[in-house]
Amino acid sequence: PILASTGQGSHIGLFSYYLVLNCAIFFVAWFKSWRLLNVIGFLFTFVIASFWGVTQYRSAQFSSTEPFLIAFFLIYVAISILFSIKQKPNLKGYVDGTLVFGVPMVGFGLQSALVHHMEYGLAYSAAALAGFYLLIAYGLRKKASSNLQLMSQAMLALGIIFATLTIPFALDGCWSASSWAIEGAGFVWIALRQQREILKYVGLALQLLGGILFLI
Protein backbone atom coordinates (compact mmCIF):
# COMPACT_ATOMS: atom_id res chain seq x y z
CA PRO A 1 0.00 0.00 0.00
CA ILE A 2 2.91 2.39 0.58
CA LEU A 3 4.44 1.90 -2.88
CA ALA A 4 1.07 2.00 -4.64
CA SER A 5 -0.24 5.02 -2.75
CA THR A 6 -0.80 8.32 -4.54
CA GLY A 7 -1.21 10.21 -1.29
CA GLN A 8 -4.96 10.54 -1.75
CA GLY A 9 -6.04 7.12 -0.48
CA SER A 10 -8.23 6.34 2.51
CA HIS A 11 -6.56 5.78 5.85
CA ILE A 12 -9.35 3.32 6.61
CA GLY A 13 -8.24 1.18 3.67
CA LEU A 14 -4.59 1.46 4.71
CA PHE A 15 -5.17 0.50 8.33
CA SER A 16 -7.64 -2.24 7.36
CA TYR A 17 -4.90 -3.80 5.25
CA TYR A 18 -2.48 -3.71 8.19
CA LEU A 19 -5.17 -5.04 10.50
CA VAL A 20 -5.53 -8.12 8.29
CA LEU A 21 -1.74 -8.61 8.30
CA ASN A 22 -1.57 -8.24 12.08
CA CYS A 23 -4.39 -10.74 12.54
CA ALA A 24 -2.32 -13.16 10.44
CA ILE A 25 0.71 -12.52 12.69
CA PHE A 26 -1.46 -13.16 15.74
CA PHE A 27 -2.65 -16.42 14.15
CA VAL A 28 0.96 -17.53 13.69
CA ALA A 29 1.82 -16.46 17.27
CA TRP A 30 -1.03 -18.63 18.54
CA PHE A 31 0.78 -21.73 17.28
CA LYS A 32 4.45 -20.75 17.26
CA SER A 33 6.84 -18.46 19.14
CA TRP A 34 8.35 -16.44 16.25
CA ARG A 35 9.86 -13.29 17.73
CA LEU A 36 11.30 -11.85 14.50
CA LEU A 37 7.90 -11.87 12.81
CA ASN A 38 6.28 -10.28 15.87
CA VAL A 39 8.82 -7.46 16.05
CA ILE A 40 8.75 -6.77 12.29
CA GLY A 41 4.96 -6.56 12.33
CA PHE A 42 5.03 -4.25 15.35
CA LEU A 43 7.66 -1.93 13.85
CA PHE A 44 6.06 -1.66 10.42
CA THR A 45 2.57 -1.11 11.84
CA PHE A 46 3.44 1.59 14.34
CA VAL A 47 6.11 3.35 12.26
CA ILE A 48 3.72 3.72 9.32
CA ALA A 49 0.86 4.69 11.65
CA SER A 50 3.10 7.33 13.27
CA PHE A 51 4.19 8.66 9.86
CA TRP A 52 0.58 8.95 8.71
CA GLY A 53 -0.39 10.59 11.99
CA VAL A 54 2.32 13.23 11.72
CA THR A 55 1.70 14.05 8.06
CA GLN A 56 -2.05 13.60 7.53
CA TYR A 57 -4.05 13.13 10.73
CA ARG A 58 -6.79 15.65 11.53
CA SER A 59 -8.91 15.73 14.69
CA ALA A 60 -12.05 15.13 12.60
CA GLN A 61 -10.67 11.65 11.80
CA PHE A 62 -10.55 10.58 15.45
CA SER A 63 -13.61 8.30 15.34
CA SER A 64 -12.29 6.40 12.30
CA THR A 65 -8.70 6.19 13.61
CA GLU A 66 -9.07 5.33 17.30
CA PRO A 67 -10.58 1.84 16.71
CA PHE A 68 -7.56 0.84 14.62
CA LEU A 69 -5.11 2.04 17.29
CA ILE A 70 -6.98 0.07 19.95
CA ALA A 71 -7.06 -3.03 17.73
CA PHE A 72 -3.32 -2.86 16.96
CA PHE A 73 -2.57 -2.29 20.65
CA LEU A 74 -4.64 -5.28 21.80
CA ILE A 75 -3.18 -7.57 19.13
CA TYR A 76 0.41 -6.90 20.15
CA VAL A 77 -0.29 -7.11 23.88
CA ALA A 78 -1.87 -10.49 23.21
CA ILE A 79 1.12 -11.54 21.06
CA SER A 80 3.54 -10.57 23.84
CA ILE A 81 1.62 -12.81 26.27
CA LEU A 82 1.52 -15.66 23.76
CA PHE A 83 5.28 -15.32 23.32
CA SER A 84 5.77 -16.10 27.02
CA ILE A 85 3.33 -19.00 26.92
CA LYS A 86 4.89 -20.59 23.81
CA GLN A 87 8.52 -20.33 24.96
CA LYS A 88 10.79 -23.35 24.73
CA PRO A 89 11.42 -25.15 28.07
CA ASN A 90 14.94 -23.71 28.41
CA LEU A 91 13.61 -20.19 27.96
CA LYS A 92 10.56 -20.39 30.24
CA GLY A 93 9.96 -17.21 32.19
CA TYR A 94 11.39 -14.88 29.54
CA VAL A 95 9.36 -12.01 28.10
CA ASP A 96 9.81 -10.03 24.92
CA GLY A 97 10.72 -6.62 26.33
CA THR A 98 10.42 -4.97 22.90
CA LEU A 99 6.70 -5.73 22.77
CA VAL A 100 5.89 -5.70 26.49
CA PHE A 101 7.24 -2.19 27.00
CA GLY A 102 7.38 -0.90 23.43
CA VAL A 103 3.69 -1.37 22.69
CA PRO A 104 2.39 0.77 25.61
CA MET A 105 5.07 3.40 25.04
CA VAL A 106 4.35 3.85 21.33
CA GLY A 107 0.62 3.24 21.74
CA PHE A 108 0.23 5.85 24.44
CA GLY A 109 2.33 8.28 22.41
CA LEU A 110 -0.02 7.90 19.45
CA GLN A 111 -3.04 8.07 21.72
CA SER A 112 -1.82 11.35 23.21
CA ALA A 113 -1.63 12.78 19.68
CA LEU A 114 -5.21 11.69 19.00
CA VAL A 115 -6.74 13.10 22.20
CA HIS A 116 -4.57 16.17 22.85
CA HIS A 117 -7.47 18.44 21.87
CA MET A 118 -9.86 16.78 24.36
CA GLU A 119 -10.20 17.91 27.96
CA TYR A 120 -8.92 15.16 30.26
CA GLY A 121 -8.28 13.01 27.19
CA LEU A 122 -4.85 11.96 28.44
CA ALA A 123 -6.16 11.32 31.95
CA TYR A 124 -8.94 9.03 30.72
CA SER A 125 -6.52 7.22 28.41
CA ALA A 126 -3.96 6.68 31.16
CA ALA A 127 -6.68 5.48 33.56
CA ALA A 128 -8.02 3.03 30.96
CA LEU A 129 -4.53 1.62 30.35
CA ALA A 130 -3.91 1.35 34.10
CA GLY A 131 -7.11 -0.65 34.57
CA PHE A 132 -6.32 -2.79 31.52
CA TYR A 133 -2.81 -3.73 32.65
CA LEU A 134 -3.82 -4.32 36.27
CA LEU A 135 -6.63 -6.61 35.10
CA ILE A 136 -4.19 -8.58 32.92
CA ALA A 137 -1.69 -8.80 35.80
CA TYR A 138 -4.42 -10.19 38.05
CA GLY A 139 -5.52 -12.70 35.41
CA LEU A 140 -1.98 -13.94 34.76
CA ARG A 141 -1.30 -14.21 38.48
CA LYS A 142 -4.38 -16.40 38.88
CA LYS A 143 -2.95 -18.80 36.29
CA ALA A 144 -0.16 -19.62 38.78
CA SER A 145 2.14 -20.65 35.92
CA SER A 146 5.83 -20.13 36.62
CA ASN A 147 6.61 -18.96 33.10
CA LEU A 148 3.98 -16.21 33.36
CA GLN A 149 5.12 -14.77 36.68
CA LEU A 150 7.57 -12.33 35.09
CA MET A 151 4.92 -11.27 32.57
CA SER A 152 2.45 -10.73 35.41
CA GLN A 153 4.96 -8.55 37.24
CA ALA A 154 5.66 -6.55 34.07
CA MET A 155 1.92 -5.95 33.54
CA LEU A 156 1.55 -4.92 37.18
CA ALA A 157 4.41 -2.44 36.81
CA LEU A 158 2.83 -0.94 33.68
CA GLY A 159 -0.53 -0.68 35.42
CA ILE A 160 1.06 1.19 38.32
CA ILE A 161 2.94 3.51 35.95
CA PHE A 162 -0.20 4.48 34.05
CA ALA A 163 -2.18 4.86 37.28
CA THR A 164 0.49 7.25 38.50
CA LEU A 165 0.41 9.18 35.22
CA THR A 166 -3.35 9.61 35.50
CA ILE A 167 -2.98 11.89 38.52
CA PRO A 168 -1.03 14.80 36.97
CA PHE A 169 -3.09 14.57 33.77
CA ALA A 170 -6.35 14.95 35.72
CA LEU A 171 -5.48 17.17 38.70
CA ASP A 172 -3.57 20.35 39.42
CA GLY A 173 -0.16 20.42 41.09
CA CYS A 174 -1.39 20.52 44.69
CA TRP A 175 -3.72 17.54 44.30
CA SER A 176 -1.11 15.62 42.31
CA ALA A 177 1.45 16.13 45.08
CA SER A 178 -0.98 14.94 47.73
CA SER A 179 -2.04 11.90 45.68
CA TRP A 180 1.54 10.87 44.99
CA ALA A 181 2.39 11.22 48.67
CA ILE A 182 -0.54 8.98 49.63
CA GLU A 183 0.33 6.48 46.88
CA GLY A 184 3.96 6.46 48.02
CA ALA A 185 2.90 5.76 51.61
CA GLY A 186 0.79 2.87 50.33
CA PHE A 187 3.75 1.39 48.49
CA VAL A 188 5.93 1.63 51.59
CA TRP A 189 3.24 -0.10 53.67
CA ILE A 190 2.92 -2.93 51.12
CA ALA A 191 6.72 -3.25 50.95
CA LEU A 192 6.99 -3.62 54.71
CA ARG A 193 4.15 -6.14 54.86
CA GLN A 194 5.40 -8.28 51.94
CA GLN A 195 9.14 -7.76 52.43
CA ARG A 196 9.58 -6.31 48.94
CA GLU A 197 12.54 -3.97 48.97
CA ILE A 198 11.92 -2.55 45.49
CA LEU A 199 8.42 -1.36 46.39
CA LYS A 200 9.80 0.53 49.36
CA TYR A 201 12.11 2.56 47.13
CA VAL A 202 9.29 3.16 44.63
CA GLY A 203 7.11 4.47 47.45
CA LEU A 204 9.84 6.73 48.81
CA ALA A 205 10.51 8.06 45.29
CA LEU A 206 6.82 8.88 44.82
CA GLN A 207 6.71 10.71 48.14
CA LEU A 208 9.82 12.66 47.19
CA LEU A 209 8.31 13.62 43.82
CA GLY A 210 5.10 14.64 45.56
CA GLY A 211 7.03 16.86 47.96
CA ILE A 212 8.97 18.50 45.13
CA LEU A 213 5.80 19.09 43.12
CA PHE A 214 4.09 20.62 46.16
CA LEU A 215 6.97 23.05 46.68
CA ILE A 216 6.95 24.05 43.01
Side-chain angles (χ1 to χ4, degrees):
I2 301 300
L3 296 177
S5 174
T6 62
Q8 304 299 321
S10 167
H11 66 284
I12 296 177
L14 173 67
F15 292 141
S16 296
Y17 177 82
Y18 275 96
L19 182 60
V20 172
L21 290 180
N22 285 317
C23 286
I25 294 173
F26 174 79
F27 180 79
V28 172
W30 185 269
F31 295 99
K32 182 179 181 180
S33 177
W34 192 354
R35 184 176 185 273
L36 180 60
L37 178 64
N38 299 340
V39 173
I40 289 175
F42 165 68
L43 291 177
F44 268 92
T45 298
F46 285 94
V47 167
I48 290 172
S50 299
F51 178 78
W52 176 86
V54 171
T55 58
Q56 299 189 40
Y57 175 73
R58 301 293 180 269
S59 58
Q61 298 169 317
F62 173 80
S63 59
S64 60
T65 304
E66 178 76 357
F68 286 107
L69 177 57
I70 294 174
F72 294 146
F73 173 82
L74 293 176
I75 286 173
Y76 281 99
V77 169
I79 288 175
S80 69
I81 295 173
L82 286 173
F83 180 81
S84 292
I85 295 174
K86 302 293 182 180
Q87 280 290 8
K88 297 177 181 178
N90 62 322
L91 293 177
K92 289 297 185 182
Y94 281 71
V95 300
D96 187 346
T98 302
L99 293 184
V100 172
F101 298 104
V103 170
M105 181 179 70
V106 177
F108 189 69
L110 292 174
Q111 177 69 4
S112 65
L114 295 184
V115 302
H116 72 277
H117 62 287
M118 302 179 184
E119 186 178 11
Y120 300 121
L122 282 174
Y124 290 133
S125 299
L129 284 172
F132 173 76
Y133 277 112
L134 291 174
L135 186 62
I136 291 181
Y138 176 76
L140 293 177
R141 189 177 181 85
K142 294 288 286 185
K143 291 292 183 182
S145 175
S146 59
N147 61 311
L148 289 177
Q149 288 305 306
L150 184 58
M151 176 63 75
S152 175
Q153 293 170 11
M155 295 291 145
L156 177 61
L158 288 168
I160 292 171
I161 289 171
F162 282 112
T164 302
L165 287 176
T166 303
I167 298 171
F169 288 145
L171 304 173
D172 60 25
C174 183
W175 281 104
S176 297
S178 301
S179 300
W180 277 352
I182 295 172
E183 186 177 355
F187 273 111
V188 172
W189 181 79
I190 293 173
L192 294 175
R193 289 292 300 270
Q194 299 184 0
Q195 299 298 311
R196 293 178 178 267
E197 196 73 11
I198 185 67
L199 288 181
K200 180 174 71 175
Y201 293 117
V202 171
L204 293 174
L206 279 174
Q207 288 190 312
L208 178 61
L209 287 174
I212 293 173
L213 184 61
F214 182 79
L215 293 175
I216 292 176

